Amino acid sequence: MEHPFDLIVLGAGSGGLAAAKRAASHGAKVAIVEGDRVGGTCVIRGCVPKKLLVYGSLYREQLEVAPSFGVELSDAQINAGVLLANVRQEVDRLNTLHIDLLAKNGVELVTGWGSFTSPNSVAVSRNGAIDASQELHGDHILIAVGGRPHRPDIPGAELGWVSDDMFMQSSFPDRVVVVGAGFIACEFACILHGLGVEVIQLVRGDHLLRGFDRELSTAVQDGMQEKGIDLRFWENPAALKGQPGDLVLSTQSGERFSCGGVLLATGRRPFLQGLNLDAAGVVLEGRRISVDANQSTNIPHIFAVGDVTDRINLTPVAIDEGRAFADSVFGQKPRQVNHDLVASAVFSQPELATVGLTEEQSIDRYGKDQVKVYRARFRSMAQALPKRGPRCLLKLIVERNTDRILGCHMVGEHAAEIIQMAAIALGMGATKADFDRTMALHPTVSEEFVTMT
């Protein structure tokens, strides 16, 4: 049966949901096709459950330092199984909430996997079989299927976990090897360590968090090592053997690590499986769907947003892309997403957050003589009584000629909350003089940003 929709959205993740609801609010007849749970990576197996695990993992250290604040505790234990179960319960609630919001906004949810049969039609499959009775037709089609974790091509890779699997565990083993140096690897290494797991993290290069400001990544590295995470640099996995709960990971250097679990946090790729893009004529650029500034593919009425385009793979970016698409196509309010100034955070322990250019990027773009760096490094008041914990690092990158702030970066407690507000200032073209004129709010960590000399 053919259904005439103004818009068919493939994928009910952050970008797809935002686009579908916004388009419907403009009067479009919208269907959204999803074969998994509604909410996408962020809600179901990413940002939201991850952040809840971060909160849970922080309690162990807080309990350890409680006596320095006069709080006496006894027999306090962390039960990771209870935490994981509670996180899944919250995810269930959010999944239901998003389904209800689609109905409230008049968006038709079609359960199954979408596959192009022509540039304007999509067949829906369930349990591996195409439902012959359900072929959707749309004037516009938006691809918002996101990405999936990538396993390295090594023998036994199927024995390891990917990030999706971490949220489905009933408990964690005593010892885990984390493979990877990106934000997912660092975040889970810290979560596991905070829950009492012995963690070894294998890094193929000489530092963590490639692409972030190098000084900040070093500060995170120092903090993780101070906490007791065993970082091994210049190590690449070669093979994984054993059975769940009793594994041996071999590296290309000849090292062997016995453990109860291995997390393969080795990157993510656009999820193109089953889309049958050839039937629509959509051209790929490598492993991603290429789009222009209006989110359009090479087929004028087919668009793509979010991680499937593999540009800036962050939830708020996908949401804004989805809304910009819907406003432009259905709302007569054309606009484009600005990808030049996007704040990001790593919820490691210590936490990292950043907006704007790194020191390295600034020097490459403007030259070393035209860049001035301001920094503050200190132990926050929260650590004054325990006399332990990583130091905060706050950093401003300034263009000398204009006094304009090119980058604002931080490692330390509440870094993401602080940088979110700093992003507003940078977006308005703030200068170092603007920061200097701002009265400090004392005593806070963030006041250091307006008192740097």
Side-chain angles (χ1 to χ4, degrees), residues 401-423:
N401 284 343
T402 64
D403 198 41
R404 183 168 58 95
I405 296 176
L406 302 174
C408 184
H409 314 286
M410 179 177 170
V411 171
E413 60 196 61
H414 311 304
E417 305 289 352
I418 294 168
I419 292 298
Q420 174 66 88
M421 303 313 295

Side-chain angles (χ1 to χ4, degrees), residues 11 39 56 72 105 128-130 157 208 210 216 304 312 318 327 384 390 426 451:
E72 297 297 335
N105 283 272
I130 293 178
L208 301 174
R210 181 170 60 88
L216 267 73
I312 300 178
D327 288 340
L426 265 68
T451 58

Side-chain angles (χ1 to χ4, degrees), residues 68-370:
S68 65
F69 293 96
V71 180
E72 297 297 335
L73 300 168
S74 60
D75 299 327
Q77 297 181 350
I78 294 178
N79 188 326
V82 172
L83 172 61
L84 287 161
N86 289 344
V87 168
R88 287 193 290 271
Q89 186 175 19
E90 175 63 8
V91 167
D92 291 343
R93 185 188 71 83
L94 293 173
N95 172 62
T96 300
L97 174 64
H98 281 291
I99 292 173
D100 292 343
L101 286 172
L102 286 175
K104 183 178 179 180
N105 283 272
V107 177
E108 181 174 335
L109 174 61
V110 181
T111 302
W113 299 101
S115 178
F116 282 97
T117 54
S118 78
N120 284 96
S121 58
V122 172
V124 179
S125 64
R126 298 179 181 85
N127 299 319
I130 293 178
D131 185 347
S133 68
Q134 195 158 30
E135 184 173 83
L136 311 178
H137 176 85
D139 295 330
H140 302 84
I141 298 178
L142 176 68
I143 305 170
V145 294
R148 293 292 188 276
H150 170 67
R151 293 179 187 270
D153 185 18
I154 61 171
E158 70 281 357
L159 296 172
W161 297 318
V162 293
S163 57
D164 293 0
D165 301 319
M166 302 300 286
F167 306 107
M168 304 310 297
Q169 303 305 307
S170 58
S171 63
F172 292 120
D174 293 335
R175 192 185 205 206
V176 170
V177 175
V178 176
V179 179
F183 72 93
I184 294 175
C186 292
E187 288 172 344
F188 272 111
C190 293
I191 288 169
L192 290 166
H193 179 266
L195 295 176
V197 177
E198 179 187 352
V199 178
I200 300 170
Q201 186 173 349
L202 306 185
V203 180
R204 68 178 180 179
D206 65 346
H207 69 284
L208 301 174
L209 300 172
R210 181 170 60 88
F212 288 88
D213 186 279
R214 182 65 180 268
E215 187 176 11
L216 267 73
S217 68
T218 299
V220 171
Q221 174 182 315
D222 292 344
M224 290 174 63
Q225 289 177 315
E226 182 180 335
K227 288 178 181 293
I229 295 173
D230 186 0
L231 297 175
R232 304 290 185 96
F233 296 98
W234 302 111
E235 289 286 8
N236 284 296
L240 187 55
K241 296 181 179 180
Q243 56 188 0
D246 185 14
L247 300 171
V248 176
L249 178 67
S250 303
T251 71
Q252 294 179 6
S253 69
E255 291 280 351
R256 289 167 56 88
F257 299 96
S258 299
C259 58
V262 173
L263 170 59
L264 300 170
T266 50
R268 296 174 61 85
R269 290 180 179 176
F271 184 56
L272 304 176
Q273 181 181 342
L275 286 177
N276 194 26
L277 294 174
D278 289 343
V282 174
V283 174
L284 294 177
E285 183 178 313
R287 294 189 180 95
R288 72 184 189 94
I289 295 178
S290 179
V291 295
D292 63 17
N294 296 312
Q295 308 301 139
S296 179
T297 69
N298 61 296
I299 306 300
H301 68 275
I302 299 179
F303 301 79
V305 299
D307 291 7
V308 76
T309 68
D310 201 20
R311 293 178 298 179
I312 300 178
N313 298 338
L314 295 172
T315 294
V317 174
I319 291 172
D320 199 35
E321 288 174 350
R323 289 173 177 166
F325 152 77
D327 288 340
S328 300
V329 174
F330 299 104
Q332 288 75 53
K333 300 175 182 178
R335 69 180 181 91
Q336 297 176 345
V337 175
N338 180 8
H339 294 89
D340 291 335
L341 193 67
V342 178
S344 61
V346 181
F347 294 102
S348 49
Q349 298 168 32
E351 189 173 295
L352 179 155
T354 178
V355 63
L357 300 180
T358 67
E359 180 179 352
E360 294 79 15
Q361 291 168 339
S362 299
I363 292 172
D364 287 344
R365 183 174 300 186
Y366 296 98
K368 189 170 184 178
D369 293 341
Q370 296 302 317

Side-chain angles (χ1 to χ4, degrees), residues 1 8 15 17 22 35 52 116 160 176 201-202 286-287 384 395 430 438-439:
M1 181 182 297
I8 299 171
L17 289 170
R22 182 63 62 88
L52 293 173
F116 282 97
V176 170
Q201 186 173 349
L202 306 185
R287 294 189 180 95
K395 188 171 179 178
T438 303
M439 191 65 70

